[in-house]
Amino acid sequence: MGEHPSPGPAVAACAEAERIEELEPEADERPAAAPEDFDPGNTGYISTGKFRSLLESHSSKLDLHKREVLLALADSHADGQICYQDFVNLMSNKRSNSFRQAILQGNRRLCSKALLEEKGLNFSQRLIRHVAYETLPREIDRKWYYDSYTCCPPPWFMITVAFFLYNGVSLDQFVLQVTHPQYLKNSLVYHPQLRAQAWRYLTYIFMHAGIEHLGLNVVLQLLVGVPLEMVHGATRIGLVYVAGVVAGSLAVSVADMTAPVVGSSGGVYALVSAHLANIVMNWSGMKCQFKLLRMAVALICMSMEFGRAVWLRFHPSAYPPCPHPSFVAHLGGVAVGITLGVVVLRNYEQRLQDQSLWWIFVAMYTIFVLFAVFWNIFAYTLLDLKLPPPP
């Protein structure tokens, strides 16, 4: 039997493109045209005219904004040819130089000048532009976000701040004070004697130790968390937040084994530290106003709150032998922020599963969680610690 020649790059790329969800027709609707109909010479390129006809035949299956970018991709190639692989990369969200050129050169919806030069914007448009410059380091990403953001869904995840206030007044206090006689009797607080109740590793965020503790966390979560969620979405930001919360409580169970935990500082510090690290790593590209002053203010506020937590931890308890809350959760949140959080914020509109650094940090986080779980199972018994009495 004679050997068949290997398919050209156009055939392979087109076959991959056909598997993409946006353009995949039903079995009985699959077009009869073969890849060779668009690229008879197997060069890996397709003419812009044929590309436009392909778009028109699938326009009903394409997201409106992605269709606009595909048309911009066609406009950006003056030589009349488009690479199949550029098309595949775009449809699978593997961002390429051709994609960015399409954004910059496309003359349909995406503006060709800097967003700051745009005039006559209404309040919502100015707000979206402000958020783009607050969080994204590249002008191309800012333009794409400004054009495609619809505020649907809204940043709902950060609305959970309301739960902090509700649980804070549950004992007829402005917030749950550590001097209150029922300080540790709440079913949400993490307590070392009750570490087998797994929900406490997460629900401790809904209780706070003082009005200043609650106030700073609410302000930071609103000022930093809401813009980040508007840009990166609830799934990614929620992932960083929850990872910081869980890492905070597990860090306490490993490094400060006799202390309880309250407060949302683990999640808040994960978001804020990721945002600040992203600004530092992209200093020249970040165009937010007064960034040096604002970074200094944020660091001072975080340091003051952390210093207060350290002081409170070693201050004599009002109800011995029950100690004050631990401060180690802050450090667990920061560790998550400068690892997982930075990877999330640096990859806007790009798939995290395609980033090798993402998998490295996920593996590190998983190893830490498994280590902490086994530590909680065996170390407390082996070390024969004197734990505070259960509430």
Side-chain angles (χ1 to χ4, degrees):
M1 297 178 62
E3 295 183 358
H4 295 283
S6 59
V11 177
C14 188
E16 182 178 354
E18 289 178 351
R19 292 194 296 268
I20 298 172
E21 179 180 1
E22 288 86 349
L23 296 183
E24 185 176 17
E26 298 296 331
D28 56 350
E29 299 177 355
R30 192 174 301 278
E36 290 80 359
D37 295 337
F38 298 101
D39 181 23
N42 288 338
T43 61
Y45 291 86
I46 180 175
S47 69
T48 54
K50 294 180 179 179
F51 183 71
R52 286 181 177 278
S53 66
L54 182 64
L55 282 181
E56 292 175 0
S57 63
H58 293 87
S59 59
S60 62
K61 303 180 181 68
L62 282 174
D63 175 78
L64 176 61
H65 294 290
K66 184 160 285 188
R67 181 176 179 272
E68 294 292 342
V69 176
L70 285 170
L71 290 172
L73 177 64
D75 292 340
S76 66
H77 286 71
D79 57 359
Q81 290 185 320
I82 297 174
C83 179
Y84 265 125
Q85 193 59 49
D86 286 344
F87 167 69
V88 172
N89 288 344
L90 173 59
M91 294 306 298
S92 60
N93 282 333
K94 294 180 180 179
R95 300 275 292 276
S96 64
N97 289 332
S98 296
F99 171 83
R100 298 186 176 187
Q101 292 170 6
I103 296 291
L104 292 174
Q105 300 175 17
N107 57 4
R108 297 183 177 271
R109 290 181 56 121
L110 300 171
C111 53
S112 60
K113 57 184 178 180
L115 286 180
L116 288 178
E117 300 175 7
E118 289 291 308
K119 304 296 182 183
L121 302 181
N122 58 35
F123 175 77
S124 62
Q125 290 173 324
R126 292 197 302 269
L127 176 62
I128 295 172
R129 181 178 65 178
H130 173 75
V131 170
Y133 276 93
E134 287 290 310
T135 56
L136 296 172
R138 292 183 292 270
E139 183 69 15
I140 181 175
D141 288 335
R142 292 192 283 261
K143 288 181 178 181
W144 175 241
Y145 168 74
Y146 175 81
D147 177 75
S148 60
Y149 182 70
T150 61
C151 198
C152 184
W156 59 268
F157 184 81
M158 292 299 154
I159 298 177
T160 55
V161 172
F163 287 103
F164 301 160
L165 297 174
Y166 170 76
N167 286 282
V169 300
S170 61
L171 293 176
D172 297 325
Q173 304 283 316
F174 285 109
V175 291
L176 180 62
Q177 303 286 349
V178 294
T179 57
H180 195 280
Q182 298 188 28
Y183 153 54
L184 291 177
K185 294 186 180 297
N186 192 285
S187 60
L188 303 179
V189 175
Y190 169 82
H191 191 282
Q193 287 278 24
L194 304 175
R195 63 188 184 278
Q197 299 176 359
W199 70 84
R200 293 178 180 265
Y201 290 90
L202 183 62
T203 58
Y204 73 93
I205 67 173
F206 298 121
M207 307 302 295
H208 284 76
I211 187 66
E212 59 278 8
H213 188 204
L214 172 66
L216 182 62
N217 281 341
V218 169
V219 169
L220 288 176
Q221 185 160 329
L222 290 176
L223 293 182
V224 178
V226 169
L228 290 179
E229 185 177 349
M230 289 175 63
V231 173
H232 297 280
T235 301
R236 289 190 173 191
I237 297 304
L239 175 65
V240 175
Y241 189 90
V242 172
V245 169
V246 175
S249 56
L250 290 177
V252 171
S253 68
V254 171
D256 197 3
M257 301 169 66
T258 61
V261 188
V262 294
S264 62
S265 298
V268 171
Y269 274 52
L271 292 181
V272 176
S273 60
H275 181 53
L276 295 180
N278 190 41
I279 292 177
V280 172
M281 296 172 67
N282 300 278
W283 187 261
S284 60
M286 298 297 292
K287 302 300 181 182
C288 49
Q289 295 181 331
F290 310 111
K291 56 185 175 183
L292 183 59
L293 176 62
R294 293 163 63 181
M295 280 194 62
V297 172
L299 290 174
I300 290 173
C301 292
M302 293 172 65
S303 299
M304 290 178 61
E305 202 281 323
F306 179 71
R308 171 194 168 276
V310 174
W311 172 83
L312 182 63
R313 171 66 181 89
F314 296 105
H315 189 268
S317 174
Y319 295 93
C322 298
H324 286 317
S326 176
F327 59 87
V328 178
H330 298 69
L331 303 179
V334 171
V336 169
I338 61 178
T339 52
L340 291 175
V342 168
V343 176
V344 169
L345 299 192
R346 282 175 59 86
N347 289 281
Y348 170 71
E349 278 291 314
Q350 294 168 321
R351 299 191 303 181
L352 294 177
Q353 58 266 36
D354 293 335
Q355 313 297 320
S356 57
L357 199 59
W358 165 256
W359 291 112
I360 293 174
F361 288 143
V362 167
M364 293 172 58
Y365 185 83
T366 303
I367 292 173
F368 167 73
V369 171
L370 293 176
F371 168 78
V373 168
F374 284 103
W375 181 273
N376 277 269
I377 295 175
F378 300 108
Y380 281 77
T381 303
L382 296 176
L383 296 176
D384 194 23
L385 293 175
K386 183 179 181 181
L387 299 177

